[in-house]
Amino acid sequence: MLNFDELRELAADVRVFVDVAEDKAEALRTVIGAYDVVLAIFPSGDGMGLHVIKGKEILDKIAKSRSHAIYSHTAIAVPDLEHAEVLKYLTAPAAQRIAA
């Protein structure tokens, strides 16, 4: 079960990391590369929207097996779903971007 307060705190930590970096794009790539699962969080009509930036396969495997797995995760705050989708595309491995 997701803890939305934890996701907000993680996103705040990521925001600080990116804000102090000279190269903001590289900082985002570093964050995304460092974790198994990265979620984008954004305001939505229901409170908080979520979009998987990285780690969908891991989450699908956990859901199908109904088991617990150990994986690292973080969250990145974005303004909306469109920004989340663009961030996912821009930070995907080159082979995946070419296939899309």
Side-chain angles (χ1 to χ4, degrees):
M1 177 115 179
L2 290 172
N3 179 329
F4 292 121
D5 290 330
E6 176 194 8
L7 293 177
R8 285 184 189 99
E9 289 177 21
L10 292 170
D13 291 343
V14 169
R15 182 179 300 119
V16 169
F17 177 76
V18 171
D19 283 348
V20 299
E22 284 187 38
D23 185 341
K24 311 247 184 271
E26 182 59 29
L28 274 174
R29 284 191 290 273
T30 298
V31 167
I32 292 169
Y35 292 90
D36 299 322
V37 174
V38 180
L39 300 172
I41 63 171
F42 52 90
S44 76
D46 298 340
M48 181 189 299
L50 296 170
H51 186 73
V52 179
I53 300 295
K54 178 184 172 189
K56 181 181 181 316
E57 300 81 16
I58 293 169
L59 297 176
D60 288 345
K61 184 177 178 181
I62 292 168
K64 288 177 184 172
S65 68
R66 295 184 175 214
S67 65
H68 296 283
I70 296 175
Y71 61 92
S72 61
H73 67 281
T74 195
I76 299 173
V78 295
D80 53 36
L81 177 58
E82 182 179 354
H83 281 82
E85 290 170 339
V86 169
L87 182 60
K88 179 179 181 176
Y89 173 77
L90 291 175
T91 58
Q96 287 178 352
R97 287 195 312 266
I98 292 169

